[in-house]
Amino acid sequence: MRPFIFFSFLLIWHHSVGAWDYELHRFVNQIALKTLPDSFPAFVRTTEAAERIAYLSGEPDRWRNSNEGALKHVNETDHFFNIEDLESLGLRLDELTGFREEFVASIVTARMQKSALFELNWASMGPNRNRWVPGLLPWKLAEEYGRLKSGFSCLKTFEQHGGQTLEIVNAQASVVQVMGVMGHFAGDAAQPLHTTRHYNGWVGLNPSRYTTNRTFHAWIDGGFIRKSGLDKEAILRRVRPARLLWKSSNPSDIEPVFSLTLNFVREQFTQVDVFYSAEKSGALKGAGTAVGRNLMETQLLKAGQFLGDLWYSAWILAPKDFFLQSALARRKLAESEK
Ligand SMILES: [Zn+2]
């Protein structure tokens, strides 16, 4: 019987519910677009590109609707991070590695250190075999930032070293794709219920007597705003210009992007109590109070600002792609020798 105890201990409350509704994810990406300075590449602001970026905010949730096990296995855990679960796993928030696989391995290592009887029983880990992972949202967001930087590196190199028009257009399309998809995860990160095991009503000890209602998540994701309305123009007026998230005089420094995404998620985790107590006070009931509406608007704004900062920083900090540069130089040479 003992191993069974360890398995059940290991199972994580998984977020089987959605995220901000598509309309709100779209709006987060639109806020982020609004933060970009005029100096930012203009191709992202054409009507088509802006619509594509808004549309792609919903893409990772569309993947959730698929029945493909291999996709669900990796995609489901990218949308949340249950911070409280670290403790039972024997892990500390301020000691986490920014490398996804290393973090996943550290969960197994921590378990093995706690019990010589520990073994991973895959059949008990849910249909998609991932119910032992407390979520990977901060890693996913950092990875998407890396993809965007790579896209900008490629684009800059094509632009500056003789890329053909179609190559430049394709590199721009890749940038638009990553900007849109990564926006989804910035949006999720600003939904406080995506940072906690209390993601859909309070679970376990409940001294503050918060709601245990299993509709709370859907209510915060969109039900409340459908009822209360959202003054998009007022939110867009509060936007500040995107800023560089990180500066260093030493070019060999590695950007601390994971610590930025982790810190962002950690900050939103502090809002879990705030949201539950707002629910308790009635501020989120029906069309809500000014306090309740402001809470929601502030989270959407935070998501859009952070996303805009990530986009802007990826563009500024993307180095040249030297591999591509030398390939373009060889091509140019071969053409001149014809
Ligand atoms: Zn999501």
Side-chain angles (χ1 to χ4, degrees), residues 296-310:
M296 299 291 290
E297 289 172 6
T298 302
Q299 290 309 117
L300 292 169
L301 188 58
K302 276 190 211 168
Q305 295 280 189
F306 186 52
L307 179 59
D309 292 349
L310 286 170

Side-chain angles (χ1 to χ4, degrees), residues 7 10-11 120-132:
F7 296 147
L10 182 72
L11 284 180
L120 208 47
N121 178 351
W122 291 107
S124 71
M125 299 303 163
N128 302 311
R129 305 288 201 265
N130 54 14
R131 288 195 146 239
W132 57 295

Side-chain angles (χ1 to χ4, degrees), residues 138-152:
W139 289 267
K140 178 66 178 171
L141 200 44
E143 290 157 6
E144 291 298 312
Y145 172 81
R147 281 199 181 92
L148 183 58
K149 234 175 114 180
S150 161
F152 275 124

Side-chain angles (χ1 to χ4, degrees), residues 69 128 151 222 232 285 323:
N128 302 311
K232 290 187 176 179
K285 200 174 167 130
F323 184 83

Side-chain angles (χ1 to χ4, degrees), residues 218-236:
W219 182 248
I220 297 302
D221 270 351
F224 174 68
I225 281 180
R226 272 195 298 280
K227 196 95 176 172
S228 67
L230 188 65
D231 189 346
K232 290 187 176 179
E233 291 307 317
I235 296 174
L236 290 171

Side-chain angles (χ1 to χ4, degrees), residues 13-62:
W13 288 100
H14 253 218
H15 296 222
S16 53
V17 284
W20 298 120
D21 287 356
Y22 172 55
E23 278 306 312
L24 296 183
H25 271 296
R26 275 181 69 88
F27 186 48
V28 166
N29 280 16
Q30 287 164 336
I31 295 172
L33 277 172
K34 175 95 179 173
T35 70
L36 297 174
D38 290 344
S39 57
F40 197 86
F43 69 86
V44 305
R45 268 187 291 262
T46 64
T47 310
E48 292 78 14
E51 174 53 33
R52 177 110 185 106
I53 287 170
Y55 171 82
L56 286 167
S57 70
E59 199 74 346
D61 273 347
R62 296 181 193 113

Side-chain angles (χ1 to χ4, degrees), residues 13 15 17 84 193 196-206 209-220 272 276 279:
W13 288 100
H15 296 222
V17 284
E84 305 94 333
L193 299 180
T196 174
R197 64 195 332 242
H198 306 290
Y199 67 89
N200 195 15
W202 202 264
V203 291
L205 284 180
N206 192 355
R209 298 185 175 208
Y210 290 144
T211 183
T212 55
N213 201 323
R214 307 288 287 169
T215 59
F216 189 45
H217 195 108
W219 182 248
I220 297 302
V272 173
Y276 270 96
E279 191 283 336

